[in-house]
Amino acid sequence: MDQRQIRTVTTTKIIVRGRVQGVGFRPFVANLAKKYELNGTVQNNLDGVYIILQGEKVSSFLVDLQQKAPRLSRIDEVEVETTTRAPFDSFSIIPSDEQGSSRLVIPVDAAVCPDCLQEMNDPKNRRYRYPFITCTQCGPRYTMIQALPYDRERTSMASFSMCPDCGQEYTDSTNRRYHAEPTACETCGPVVSFWTIEKGHLADGEAAIQKTIRHLQAGAIVAIKGIGGYHLACDAKNEEAVNRLRARKRRPNKPFAVMAASLAETRSFAYVSSEEEALLTSSEAPIVVLDLKQPFQVLAPQLQTIGVMLPYTPLHHLMMEKFSLLVMTSANVSGLPMVYDEQAAFTQLAGIADFFLTHNRPIVHPLDDSVVKKGLFLRRARGYVPDGLTVDVDVSQVVALGSQQKNTFALGRNNQVFLGPHIGDLQSQEVIDHFRNEWHHLRQWMGMNHSIIAVDAHPGFATQSLATQMDGEVVKVQHHHAHFVACLAENNVDTLSYGIILDGTGYGLDGNIWGFECVYGNAAHFERLGHLAYTPLAGGEKAIVEPWRNAVSMLVFFFGEEGKQMAYERFPEKRAAIDIIAHMVEKNLNAPLAGTCGRLFDAVSAFLGLCEVSTYDGEAAIVLSEQMVHYERKKERPYSFSLERVAGVDEINVKSMWKEIMADIKTGQATTTIIARFHETIIQAIVCMLKRQTKQTKQVALSGGSFHNEYLRKHLKEALQQAGYDVLEHKQVPPSDGGLSFGQLMIAKERSV
């Protein structure tokens, strides 16, 4: 046939980029096309979602496309082009195109939606009490993806062939499960199973759930497989069971996260603001750290807060029918990655869990629960990873490997930075292997190559070794510069600004340990304007784990023999060890110099008798700061401090503060008053240090793990604003090391220009 005789019609080609796969976007587009009587196709592609339209009402379609998109979607870009081609006689979803380079945003895991819950609780529904009920608007996504584009055959659901009923729903454009990749039912889908180590497999389905409930009610500890890995669960109101879990996990003091049956139950023991309620009930469903109404000593020793989540999977909802509160803590052995497959669960958790509630849907990518406290991420993971952060520059070809602790990595593509999952501390080969696996998959999915690799400047960090095994130019970034720039970049700021960086430890450019920094600059460069005066950290790492040693080091350094006597008074049972520490300080033996906020908080906490030995990371500082949760702030008088000019920078010297704290203790001053005065000292010292600076800016960014201290953050911000400063804070990434890779990447990008 003569090609000139083939009829063509005006055709609109649309490319939609963003979080548009795995969120019911193609069914939404198909139904929208039907509404406006448009013919054509919609297709998943590595570059986004491709839509071809023919008809009269394309403009109306485009309006609804942006305004009525599915709740889990996020449209970053819509590209529209008009052309001509042969006419379509209908509208259809066509198979995905796996060719080309990826520009996809991988879908995130989402809490079960209200529609699915209603069906699960309806005895007349064929999915009644089915623990894997899902649709296009909820359920697992990232954790089950094996390859892109996102289609069932490239997920861990590939081995589950849909029954006729599920298949009919999957292909029915009017159905909520139209092209919902995880969709299944009791006939064709995954099954929960109940196990013991000794007796093996004991029950499936509803019987497995009921056995789990009965054993939890009897005080057992059960490992429960969820979306991203296993949790260890027990009845939170059974003190004996909780203490047994503590003993088995060797976790004497670290708080346990809990799952509450409802908001009403949560409000019975904790205060819940409107913002916190919105987070708890969101599709992301993170753990939210809430202020307790009364201490919950068995769950959160010495703390005034507790991490709470609501049920976010169908299985959780079925479990919580019989409980008001369950401990639900990540099932990982200290120093190892989160347990997420059966072999590891039965091996690693054999001495911890009494029973196992597992299932046969493989988890491809393990993922911890996200944790949010007072609007700040402590951990950015399930529900948020791997969503991209939009930045003002093209960061393609740039990656960052993050920190040694609380590790996350970052990948740059176009104008977006993608933070990987929470990896943990890179202190074992297993965690490093976990890093490599997640790094490889996310980089491959995103279609990313890299020519620039940013790492922390600390020569002993595992990330430096990892970088040497990758192709690309390695850029070493100072730890606190990365914190500073992470906050600036989050706020889309690259103008010269001040930064106040407060954290535990970071490798300083002078070889000392930094962590209480006043800096100035941006991604291109920074200069150190001030810091906490150095004191020796006798014993190094041992003084971090046993902060009473740090307190003794400071006292001896500041006051010599008098300081040793002060230490004897506060720690009378440790006289022999105090003598050794004093010798180490005087002779500079294994006593690196440190000026960090975290270590100062540790020392004061130990000196006040709150926490002399930390059983988990940051315990001493956390216990100290928790004393301020319900403290009604008065204008407490700060302790004395001095600002001294040393080697061209300002130093905050707190020698006099220590004597005044000792005097307050001797006169019987309330511990909370001493802690409040200590906080006020830190706040006023920072404000005074900033006021001495003469740079042409009034903008200051706050970053570092110490800003998880809500009292310090809130009142420092107020004091800075009263002094005329414009304060920038974190919103989308943790201020602690979990956000470090973001800043590293932005700095490396700037250096490459």
Side-chain angles (χ1 to χ4, degrees):
M1 180 184 293
D2 190 335
Q3 293 294 316
R4 290 172 296 182
Q5 296 178 9
I6 298 177
R7 185 169 68 91
T8 60
V9 298
T10 301
T11 302
T12 303
K13 179 181 178 182
I14 304 168
I15 303 176
V16 186
R17 299 187 179 98
R19 193 204 292 165
V20 290
Q21 293 195 20
V23 293
F25 206 83
R26 289 176 299 168
F28 160 71
V29 167
N31 286 320
L32 204 58
K34 182 178 179 181
K35 174 183 176 181
Y36 290 113
E37 300 175 325
L38 301 170
N39 293 335
T41 62
V42 61
Q43 177 191 46
N44 275 348
N45 186 285
L46 286 173
D47 193 30
V49 170
Y50 279 34
I51 305 168
I52 304 295
L53 295 177
Q54 294 171 347
E56 300 296 323
K57 301 177 182 177
V58 172
S59 58
S60 297
F61 174 97
L62 286 169
V63 171
D64 280 4
L65 181 76
Q66 303 239 31
Q67 295 183 355
K68 298 180 180 180
R71 74 182 184 110
L72 296 183
S73 66
R74 191 194 70 238
I75 296 175
D76 296 330
E77 179 184 354
V78 178
E79 188 178 302
V80 181
E81 174 188 337
T82 301
T83 183
T84 59
R85 62 173 294 167
F88 291 94
D89 56 11
S90 63
F91 191 91
S92 61
I93 295 176
I94 63 175
S96 301
D97 184 355
E98 302 177 47
Q99 305 303 310
S101 60
S102 176
R103 294 184 66 181
L104 292 180
V105 175
I106 296 170
V108 296
D109 304 280
V112 60
C113 69
D115 288 337
C116 283
L117 277 181
Q118 184 178 22
E119 291 177 350
M120 187 184 75
N121 292 319
D122 180 2
K124 297 178 181 179
N125 192 281
R126 71 185 190 89
R127 290 189 176 87
Y128 177 57
R129 299 188 66 78
Y130 182 57
F132 300 96
I133 190 170
T134 184
C135 69
T136 56
Q137 294 309 297
C138 65
R141 297 292 191 272
Y142 169 73
T143 51
M144 67 178 217
I145 295 174
Q146 295 170 330
L148 292 176
Y150 176 65
D151 289 303
R152 190 180 181 100
E153 62 267 24
R154 286 180 284 274
T155 73
S156 59
M157 289 295 294
S159 61
F160 298 96
S161 299
M162 283 184 279
C163 66
D165 287 337
C166 286
Q168 189 277 329
E169 293 170 336
Y170 186 83
T171 55
D172 178 1
S173 64
T174 65
N175 194 283
R176 202 174 78 255
R177 294 186 174 87
Y178 184 41
H179 281 263
E181 309 307 346
T183 194
C185 70
E186 191 171 5
T187 301
C188 63
V191 178
V192 291
S193 301
F194 184 80
W195 294 69
T196 68
I197 296 295
E198 297 81 11
K199 298 180 180 179
H201 176 222
L202 296 179
D204 289 327
E206 183 66 24
I209 295 171
Q210 293 305 318
K211 278 184 175 291
T212 301
I213 290 171
R214 287 196 295 273
H215 283 292
L216 286 170
Q217 290 172 328
I221 297 166
V222 182
I224 300 175
K225 185 178 179 181
I227 284 180
Y230 280 84
H231 287 104
L232 287 167
C234 70
D235 185 349
K237 295 189 175 181
N238 184 328
E239 188 169 337
E240 190 277 333
V242 175
N243 286 332
R244 190 155 24 89
L245 178 56
R246 286 200 177 282
R248 291 181 182 180
K249 274 207 86 177
R250 299 178 183 176
R251 186 170 165 173
N253 296 326
K254 190 174 182 180
F256 282 133
V258 295
M259 180 172 284
S262 64
L263 271 173
E265 173 62 28
T266 304
R267 287 197 173 97
S268 72
F269 61 85
Y271 298 99
V272 184
S273 69
S274 58
E275 293 81 5
E276 289 163 339
E277 177 180 340
L279 279 169
L280 285 166
T281 58
S282 68
S283 63
E284 292 83 4
I287 295 171
V288 180
V289 179
L290 303 173
D291 294 347
L292 284 165
K293 292 180 176 178
Q294 294 179 339
F296 219 147
Q297 189 66 20
V298 67
L299 296 174
Q302 290 190 274
L303 303 187
Q304 305 296 321
T305 58
I306 191 167
V308 182
M309 56 183 152
L310 296 181
Y312 61 83
T313 72
L315 180 60
H316 290 149
H317 281 274
L318 294 170
M319 298 288 301
M320 296 306 294
E321 289 176 349
K322 301 296 183 181
F323 298 95
S324 57
L325 206 62
L326 285 178
V327 167
M328 199 71 78
T329 185
S330 297
N332 67 297
V333 178
S334 179
L336 296 179
M338 187 176 185
V339 175
Y340 68 99
D341 65 47
E342 286 61 58
Q343 182 178 357
F346 294 155
T347 302
Q348 295 181 28
L349 305 179
I352 302 175
D354 300 308
F355 304 98
F356 297 80
L357 183 64
T358 185
H359 60 74
N360 59 341
R361 182 180 66 202
I363 296 171
V364 181
H365 300 285
L367 199 58
D368 279 288
D369 295 307
S370 293
V371 186
V372 181
K373 179 184 179 184
K374 303 299 181 185
L376 289 183
F377 279 105
L378 275 78
R379 183 167 67 209
R380 185 178 182 271
R382 178 186 51 77
Y384 300 93
V385 169
D387 252 357
L389 305 170
T390 302
V391 294
D392 289 339
V393 295
D394 186 344
V395 289
S396 299
Q397 301 287 318
V398 186
V399 299
L401 304 192
S403 187
Q404 182 80 355
Q405 294 183 309
K406 300 179 178 65
N407 177 272
T408 66
F409 55 79
L411 307 170
R413 189 186 70 192
N414 303 321
N415 286 76
Q416 287 189 304
V417 176
F418 297 89
L419 263 63
H422 169 80
I423 300 295
D425 298 347
L426 301 179
Q427 295 175 336
S428 70
Q429 189 59 50
E430 291 85 352
V431 177
I432 292 172
D433 289 344
H434 175 43
F435 175 103
R436 286 195 178 102
N437 184 62
E438 296 307 309
W439 163 270
H440 169 75
H441 280 93
L442 197 54
R443 190 175 67 86
Q444 185 179 54
W445 290 349
M446 295 295 187
M448 294 176 179
N449 293 312
H450 57 264
S451 57
I452 300 168
I453 307 164
V455 298
D456 192 285
H458 194 300
F461 278 9
T463 50
Q464 289 216 10
S465 175
L466 285 165
T468 63
Q469 301 164 31
M470 303 174 182
D471 294 328
E473 175 192 356
V474 177
V475 176
K476 296 179 181 180
V477 179
Q478 200 280 325
H479 190 89
H480 301 94
H481 188 200
H483 273 305
F484 172 43
V485 172
C487 186
L488 292 181
E490 258 202 76
N491 290 276
N492 289 314
V493 169
D494 195 37
T495 54
L496 294 169
S497 307
Y498 290 122
I500 299 296
I501 317 302
L502 307 179
D503 69 354
T505 58
Y507 184 74
L509 297 179
D510 58 1
N512 296 323
I513 301 171
W514 292 9
F516 193 125
E517 310 304 311
C518 176
V519 300
Y520 172 75
N522 56 13
H525 77 283
F526 84 109
E527 59 179 301
R528 194 185 196 199
L529 303 178
H531 62 93
L532 182 69
Y534 294 136
T535 55
L537 193 63
E541 288 292 326
K542 193 169 186 179
I544 296 174
V545 176
E546 300 182 30
W548 70 269
R549 295 176 179 273
N550 188 16
V552 172
S553 297
M554 290 186 183
L555 294 173
V556 172
F557 177 77
F558 283 133
F559 305 111
E561 187 61 33
E562 182 186 0
K564 192 192 295 187
Q565 294 302 318
M566 292 166 68
Y568 288 157
E569 287 184 46
R570 295 306 294 163
F571 311 110
E573 75 287 359
K574 296 181 170 68
R575 292 180 68 93
I578 289 169
D579 290 340
I580 294 172
I581 291 169
H583 179 73
M584 294 170 71
V585 171
E586 291 161 3
K587 301 298 183 181
N588 192 26
L589 299 173
N590 189 23
L593 292 177
T596 93
C597 187
R599 301 292 78 83
L600 180 59
F601 268 75
D602 284 356
V604 172
S605 181
F607 195 68
L608 294 177
L610 297 175
C611 179
E612 295 183 8
V613 177
S614 290
T615 63
Y616 61 89
D617 182 41
E619 179 179 358
I622 290 169
V623 170
L624 180 77
S625 66
E626 287 275 320
Q627 304 301 308
M628 295 289 97
V629 168
H630 296 299
Y631 185 80
E632 292 295 331
R633 191 192 189 209
K634 309 160 193 159
K635 189 63 178 176
E636 297 290 358
R637 180 170 51 89
Y639 290 117
S640 300
F641 63 89
S642 62
L643 280 171
E644 303 164 1
R645 196 75 177 165
V646 179
V649 299
D650 287 333
E651 285 190 356
I652 300 170
N653 190 304
V654 293
K655 176 179 179 179
S656 54
M657 179 193 77
W658 280 104
K659 267 202 169 177
E660 292 175 14
I661 289 176
M662 190 66 175
D664 271 357
I665 292 172
K666 288 182 175 179
T667 59
Q669 187 64 260
T671 300
T672 52
T673 301
I674 295 173
I675 297 171
R677 291 190 67 189
F678 167 65
H679 277 81
E680 198 63 37
T681 307
I682 301 300
I683 291 166
Q684 293 306 317
I686 290 170
V687 174
C688 289
M689 181 167 55
L690 265 179
K691 284 182 174 179
R692 286 161 62 109
Q693 309 309 319
T694 59
K695 304 296 185 182
Q696 297 302 304
T697 184
K698 279 290 189 177
Q699 191 163 257
V700 55
L702 308 181
S703 191
S706 295
F707 283 108
H708 287 307
N709 179 332
E710 173 63 13
Y711 186 91
L712 175 64
R713 178 171 71 101
K714 177 181 177 182
H715 295 302
L716 176 58
K717 180 180 178 180
E718 289 175 354
L720 289 170
Q721 289 174 332
Q722 289 170 5
Y725 292 93
D726 178 22
V727 179
L728 304 177
E729 297 181 276
H730 285 278
K731 304 180 188 72
Q732 300 178 78
V733 301
S736 52
D737 283 3
L740 202 73
S741 59
F742 184 34
Q744 290 174 342
L745 186 146
M746 299 304 293
I747 292 167
K749 166 61 184 176
E750 184 65 31
R751 290 187 189 172
S752 71
V753 174

